[in-house]
Amino acid sequence: MASSKDYLQFVLEQLPELQEITYRAMMGEFIIYYRGKIVGGIYDDRLLVKPTKSAISYMPTVTYEIPYENAKEMLLVEEVDNRDFLTGLFDVMYDELPTPKPKKKK
C-alpha cells in the first residue's frame, strides 16, 4: 500500500516552525529530510523516524516498525497531530543523524 499525498501534507503542516523540511517521493512512499538529513519517512501512511538514541529517549512510547520488507526497524510516531512534540522530536534527533554523503561528479 502506498502512502497518500494528503497524509504527507498533514504531517508537513504539523512542522511549520522548522525550516528546511523537504521530502522526496520514492516508490510510492515519501522520505522526509530536515536541514538536508534524512529524519525518516511516510510509509503506508505512518510516520516512521530513524531510531536514534535521542528519539528513543524523547518518545513516551517506543514502538518499532518495519517500513517495508527487508528494511531496518524504525520508530513509529503516534503523536503526529501534536505540533510541539513533532518539532521537538526532529530537533533532538538532528545532531545524531548522519550527514549525507556528497554526490559523485559525473
Side-chain angles (χ1 to χ4, degrees):
M1 178 178 115
S3 294
S4 71
K5 191 105 178 192
D6 290 338
Y7 187 75
L8 169 69
Q9 289 304 320
F10 171 75
V11 171
L12 295 177
E13 287 170 5
Q14 303 308 308
L15 302 165
E17 296 176 20
L18 297 180
Q19 301 298 311
E20 301 179 55
I21 293 286
T22 57
Y23 69 91
R24 177 179 295 171
M26 191 168 294
M27 298 183 291
E29 309 297 352
F30 301 98
I31 309 300
I32 297 179
Y33 296 82
Y34 176 39
R35 295 176 13 205
K37 295 181 179 183
I38 297 174
V39 168
I42 307 290
Y43 302 92
D44 297 329
D45 285 339
R46 302 169 297 165
L47 175 59
L48 302 177
V49 295
K50 292 189 172 225
T52 63
K53 289 180 184 178
S54 56
I56 292 167
S57 63
Y58 187 82
M59 295 177 76
T61 304
V62 176
T63 305
Y64 289 91
E65 300 236 346
I66 297 174
Y68 51 87
E69 192 174 323
N70 298 323
K72 292 181 181 178
E73 289 184 322
M74 297 178 79
L75 301 175
L76 174 65
V77 180
E78 296 183 39
E79 297 185 41
V80 292
D81 56 350
N82 184 335
R83 288 181 178 201
D84 293 335
F85 175 80
L86 276 186
T87 300
L89 177 63
F90 279 40
D91 276 336
V92 301
M93 291 179 65
Y94 183 78
D95 288 337
E96 281 186 67
L97 296 171
T99 304
K101 295 179 179 115
K103 294 182 181 179
K104 294 181 181 178
K105 294 182 181 180
K106 293 182 180 181

